[in-house]
Amino acid sequence: MKKSTLFAPIFVLCTAFPVLADIPQPVREDAYLPVNLDEARLGQLLFWDPILSGNGNIACGSCHHPRFATSDGLALGLGEGGIGLGPERKPDPENLPEQRIPRNSPSLFNLGAREFTTLFHDGRIEVDANRASGLRTPLDDDMLVGFNSVLSAQTMFPVLSGDEMAGHYSENDVSQAVRRGIITGPGGAWDIISKRVADIELYAEEFRAVYPEIADGREIAFTDISNAIAAFVEFEWRSDDSPFDKHLRGEQALEGAALDGMELFYGAAGCSACHSGVFQTDHGFHAMGVPQIGPGKAARFETHAKDEGRMRVTGRAEDAYAFRTPSLRNVVKTAPYGHSGAYVSLGEFLAAHVDPTGAVGGFDRSQVTLVELPGVVDWKALDDPGEAAAISGAVTVPAVALSTEEQAKLLAFLESLTDPVALTGRLGIPDAVPSGLPIDR
């Protein structure tokens, strides 16, 4: 048995400035959930296999690729209807995407750590001991039982999104089930995908080898698929061997600008008020004035392009435009930044967070990394004065006075959170997957 982790992108400066005593202790082995390496190897195949998508053309790794630090290098990605990888991904002229994926693809570092109990930019999946499944999700009481972790549950939702993996309406049996609202139970979207996997003998053999209950005759469930994928992500992208970690362990001290930046981060700049703890996150939600681009989180029948963040989950007005504080591990490699991927430069993102109320007004939309999508308007929210004012007005964090030199030192410290082992991955991309479908390399 080994232990492991995973995670996601935006950056937040807050008040309540801490003292340097808030520098965390080194990451301990018990910070992570245990991982069965055989289960992780099975998850590796599933993570890279397009068989989980409605049309058999998109894998988890298509939008969470190690070439782009487990993201896709785009502000807002293209899932179904896209061709290619990363910033080179283009719309398929024979099957255009209905819209962009509404939020930036989060990175996957350290999500297997025990402290990660809430996932997605708006926290719509979280541990809840009062639920039969142990989780609160958009499926409410219809949520299945059998997940090993909140990360396992999280992996089950991209396959239900028509824009991400399920496909357009009537294109395939999965997308049809999703559009009809049949997710769980016999004939539901997850059941359809599970049967696809079970029908491939190489997968059936692997599942029997990993899970004794399946070897004894139980059918493969989607919770088994998601548990295996979670085990892989936990093992593959555990990240706790950066220069900062070596500094905490007393193996190699930070020096120069990185050391100065650490002292600012945990001191006068106040960053660690929100980016706290060993993984630089308080797991909370904060409105930081990040510009809204793309389709927003509107239902198909709605015409707005808003994304009100945490408020969509809680219904509380005070949660409007608040998004999760991400971990900052490997943050210099995970551009673009923000829930909408609005910032291609970490330096520009940091400068915007120094004065978050003014971020929307000073935003340069020309630098956004978006693939051209015919007929799509990406600036609807920004072009609406009322919506732009609402985003800025939700900010409660005061401006922080940081010089250009101090910001440069903070960037040097953020560079020290880079872990080359995690960026490379441990198991890597398999040579082939049991379905025989092509892998995005």
Side-chain angles (χ1 to χ4, degrees):
M1 301 289 285
K2 295 201 176 233
K3 306 202 173 180
S4 242
T5 311
L6 145 106
F7 191 77
I10 83 186
F11 185 62
V12 181
L13 272 176
C14 294
T15 53
F17 297 161
V19 297
L20 291 184
D22 286 344
I23 294 177
Q25 295 296 308
V27 181
R28 293 162 47 106
E29 190 67 19
D30 62 6
Y32 301 99
L33 295 167
V35 171
N36 179 321
L37 192 52
D38 290 333
E39 186 179 31
R41 290 193 176 103
L42 171 57
Q44 175 202 24
L45 298 176
L46 292 162
F47 184 90
W48 289 105
D49 199 332
I51 194 68
L52 301 187
S53 64
N55 290 323
N57 59 343
I58 299 170
C60 304
S62 300
C63 295
H64 297 282
H65 203 284
R67 280 174 54 186
F68 311 104
T70 71
S71 184
D72 63 1
L74 291 166
L76 301 172
L78 294 180
E80 182 56 51
I83 303 172
L85 190 62
E88 301 304 315
R89 193 167 178 81
K90 299 289 188 290
D92 180 354
E94 303 299 321
N95 182 30
L96 290 174
E98 292 182 352
Q99 66 176 23
R100 301 188 195 281
I101 296 172
R103 289 176 178 159
N104 180 257
S105 177
S107 61
L108 305 181
F109 301 110
N110 287 330
L111 293 191
R114 296 178 188 275
E115 68 177 66
F116 288 93
T117 59
T118 304
L119 294 177
F120 286 124
H121 288 295
D122 57 11
R124 64 187 180 275
I125 294 183
E126 57 188 328
V127 171
D128 185 345
N130 295 319
R131 306 275 178 149
S133 65
L135 299 161
R136 187 198 52 72
T137 79
L139 290 182
D140 293 323
D141 292 335
D142 290 333
M143 190 64 181
L144 299 179
V145 174
F147 304 101
N148 287 344
S149 65
V150 67
L151 172 60
S152 173
Q154 185 274 336
T155 68
M156 300 184 75
F157 284 87
V159 301
L160 303 179
S161 168
D163 297 317
E164 295 181 57
M165 296 180 70
H168 302 153
Y169 185 54
S170 297
E171 282 189 329
N172 60 73
D173 50 357
V174 174
S175 65
Q176 289 175 22
V178 170
R179 292 295 178 100
R180 289 159 54 205
I182 306 172
I183 308 301
T184 61
W190 285 335
D191 182 54
I192 293 169
I193 296 171
S194 301
K195 285 182 167 54
R196 283 189 190 178
V197 171
D199 286 343
I200 299 171
E201 184 54 34
L202 284 174
Y203 272 131
E205 292 175 3
E206 290 288 339
F207 275 94
R208 288 193 291 266
V210 171
Y211 300 110
E213 303 90 344
I214 295 175
D216 289 341
R218 178 172 66 76
E219 291 186 354
I220 296 171
F222 201 88
T223 49
D224 301 311
I225 294 171
S226 64
N227 286 339
I229 292 174
F232 167 66
V233 172
E234 291 164 6
F235 179 75
E236 185 77 347
W237 290 300
R238 170 173 166 169
S239 182
D240 58 8
D241 200 27
S242 67
F244 176 66
D245 292 298
K246 291 181 170 66
H247 176 87
L248 295 181
R249 294 193 296 261
E251 298 171 1
Q252 181 179 330
L254 292 180
E255 298 177 340
L259 178 61
D260 293 342
M262 183 189 74
E263 292 174 350
L264 279 167
F265 188 94
Y266 290 101
C271 307
S272 63
C274 295
H275 290 285
S276 57
V278 73
F279 298 119
Q280 292 80 43
T281 174
D282 63 357
H283 302 285
F285 299 85
H286 305 278
M288 294 302 297
V290 175
Q292 175 58 34
I293 62 176
K297 295 295 284 186
R300 292 289 194 225
F301 61 86
E302 294 178 310
T303 59
H304 69 77
K306 298 178 182 179
D307 188 343
E308 294 174 316
R310 183 64 171 166
M311 192 176 81
R312 286 179 53 84
V313 176
T314 66
R316 297 193 302 255
E318 61 267 31
D319 291 331
Y321 306 104
F323 296 87
R324 272 182 73 227
T325 306
S327 167
L328 299 181
R329 296 309 184 110
N330 303 300
V331 67
V332 300
K333 303 294 185 182
T334 60
Y337 304 98
H339 75 275
S340 60
Y343 293 91
V344 71
S345 162
L346 184 58
E348 291 182 5
F349 198 23
L350 173 58
H353 276 61
V354 169
D355 183 11
T357 302
V360 171
F363 181 62
D364 176 13
R365 58 179 79 181
S366 69
Q367 49 83 50
V368 176
T369 309
L370 286 173
V371 175
E372 184 177 351
L373 193 56
V376 168
V377 178
D378 292 306
W379 315 109
K380 189 171 184 178
L382 278 182
D383 288 339
D384 179 347
E387 181 63 9
I391 293 171
S392 298
V395 175
T396 59
V397 178
V400 178
L402 289 178
S403 68
T404 301
E405 181 182 5
E406 287 172 324
Q407 291 180 45
K409 289 177 178 179
L410 282 173
L411 291 173
F413 169 65
L414 295 177
E415 178 73 47
S416 80
L417 300 176
T418 305
D419 179 351
V421 174
L423 287 172
T424 301
R426 293 167 173 81
L427 296 178
I429 303 175
D431 294 331
V433 289
S435 70
L437 293 169
I439 298 174
D440 283 321
R441 297 188 181 279

